[in-house]
């Protein structure tokens, strides 16, 4: 096991990545954060729990162990903006999703520290993704990358209104075959307990956009879950509702089975 992430290789052409459920902080970082930031409010709580079925199904899994506040692994190392015109949290964030400062005054990371974090956390994680996708593609001729996320259902600073439960992102159709996206959305539509959207507010972050190259045999999907679907409360300390999580986990298992069974057009 790497200190940066946990990796479990699978046998089937699916890699599930979980970049934002980690809660570790870089050495000396906690003392520099505001009291609110120390609670890590923007964590993708329990996403690893929701995807516990993935490895048993035969998928590979890669889960980051460090908080997104250390380095946001779903942003590019060049810090390019994903959604122009909207607030951006950056590859090394300095503000929460609500726009509040993460760091005490004068404690923000400088450019040298930002680059050090990118080298320490970002590059090893993405090197591992690249290597695993190449392994799977060499074995099968194709691979599917499933980037797993969750977020509070209401964050006025980032988006208007309330999110659907299931937010599928395929970079507006560029990161995976339309036939795969259609199967996933159709499966979601069969469960009346949840709402869903394809390429709505969340179209996929860096991981989906960078690795999703259907023309080269790599299909990428991001699923952003509204945390209201499985948390007893979206406020601290973010308690999980085990019955709700179990129900959502069953749906996730069905979606992953579809991804595993998918065969690209030849």
């Amino acid at each position: 096991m790497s200190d940066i992430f946990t990796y479990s290789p699978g046998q089937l052409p699916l890699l599930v990545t979980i970049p934002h459920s980690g809660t570790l902080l870089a050495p000396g970082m906690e003392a520099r954060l505001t009291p609110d930031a120390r609670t890590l409010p923007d964590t993708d709580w329990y996403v690893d729990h929701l995807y516990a079925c993935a490895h048993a199904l035969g998928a590979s899994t890669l889960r980051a162990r460090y908080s997104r506040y250390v380095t946001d692994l779903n942003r590019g190392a060049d810090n390019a903006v994903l959604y122009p015109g909207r607030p951006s949290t950056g590859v090394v964030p300095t503000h929460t999703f609500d726009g509040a400062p993460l760091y005490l005054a004068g404690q923000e990371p400088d450019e040298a520290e930002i680059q050090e974090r990118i080298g320490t956390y970002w590059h090893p994680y993405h090197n591992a993704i690249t290597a695993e996708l190449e392994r799977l593609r060499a074995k099968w001729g194709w691979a599917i990358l499933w980037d797993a996320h969750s977020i509070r259902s209401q964050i006025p600073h980032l988006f208007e209104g309330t999110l659907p439960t299931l937010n599928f992102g395929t970079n507006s159709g560029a990161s995976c075959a339309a036939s795969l996206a259609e199967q996933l959305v159709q499966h979601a539509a069969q469960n009346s307990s949840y709402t869903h959207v394809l390429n709505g507010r969340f179209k996929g972050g860096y991981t989906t956009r960078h690795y999703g190259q259907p023309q080269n045999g790599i299909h990428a999907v991001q699923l952003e879950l509204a945390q209201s679907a499985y948390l007893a409360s979206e406020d601290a300390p973010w308690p999980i509702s085990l019955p709700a999580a179990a129900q959502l986990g069953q749906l996730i298992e069905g979606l992953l089975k579809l991804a595993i069974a998918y065969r690209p057009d030849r």
Side-chain angles (χ1 to χ4, degrees):
M1 182 183 73
S2 166
D3 179 56
I4 308 301
F5 53 79
T6 57
Y7 160 65
S8 297
Q11 302 79 42
L12 299 177
L14 175 65
L15 168 63
V16 176
T17 50
I18 305 176
H20 293 152
S21 70
T23 56
L24 298 180
L25 293 172
M29 183 176 167
E30 183 174 8
R32 299 163 58 191
L33 296 177
T34 68
D36 180 58
R38 290 172 198 163
T39 68
L40 310 179
D42 301 321
T43 300
D44 290 11
W45 299 109
Y46 311 108
V47 168
D48 50 336
H49 175 86
L50 295 173
Y51 281 84
C53 64
H55 190 63
L57 292 174
S60 301
T61 59
L62 184 70
R63 175 186 177 269
R65 302 182 67 226
Y66 281 79
S67 168
R68 71 187 307 150
Y69 290 166
V70 179
T71 307
D72 190 332
L73 301 171
N74 201 30
R75 300 294 181 269
D78 60 357
N79 212 24
V81 174
L82 292 175
Y83 297 99
R86 292 183 177 271
S88 179
T89 52
V91 65
V92 174
T94 56
H95 291 77
T96 69
F97 286 170
D98 291 322
L102 286 180
Y103 292 88
L104 300 170
Q107 295 296 313
E108 302 86 353
D110 59 17
E111 184 60 27
E113 182 178 355
I114 290 171
Q115 293 306 314
E116 188 275 333
R117 289 198 203 173
I118 291 171
T120 300
Y121 303 98
W122 193 96
H123 282 294
Y125 177 82
H126 283 280
N127 289 343
I129 292 178
T130 299
E132 181 60 13
L133 290 175
E134 286 303 312
R135 183 183 77 86
L136 295 177
R137 183 167 61 175
K139 179 177 181 179
W140 291 91
W142 73 92
I144 296 173
L145 169 63
W146 188 285
D147 204 33
H149 296 262
S150 77
I151 194 169
R152 280 179 288 150
S153 60
Q154 295 182 348
I155 306 179
H157 184 68
L158 294 185
F159 52 81
E160 301 80 22
T162 302
L163 287 177
T165 312
L166 308 167
N167 299 266
F168 296 96
T170 63
N171 192 19
S172 298
S175 70
C176 85
S179 56
L180 173 58
E182 289 167 4
Q183 289 182 39
L184 298 172
V185 170
Q186 287 173 4
H187 185 78
Q190 293 172 7
N191 192 317
S192 60
S193 299
Y194 305 118
T195 55
H196 68 276
V197 68
L198 175 62
N199 293 311
R201 168 60 183 88
F202 294 96
K203 303 179 189 299
Y206 172 85
T207 301
T208 304
R209 301 181 194 205
H210 176 74
Y211 296 103
Q213 302 175 24
Q215 69 278 10
N216 294 323
I218 305 292
H219 303 261
V221 177
Q222 176 177 295
L223 178 57
E224 187 86 58
L225 301 168
Q227 292 178 346
S228 57
Y230 67 93
L231 293 184
S233 169
E234 291 186 292
D235 297 322
W238 306 283
I240 191 171
S241 168
L242 290 176
Q247 180 180 344
L248 184 56
Q250 289 180 349
L251 177 65
I252 290 170
E253 182 174 355
L255 292 169
L256 296 185
K257 285 180 177 178
L258 282 175
I260 288 171
Y262 177 75
R263 297 295 180 264
D265 296 332
R266 296 291 186 176

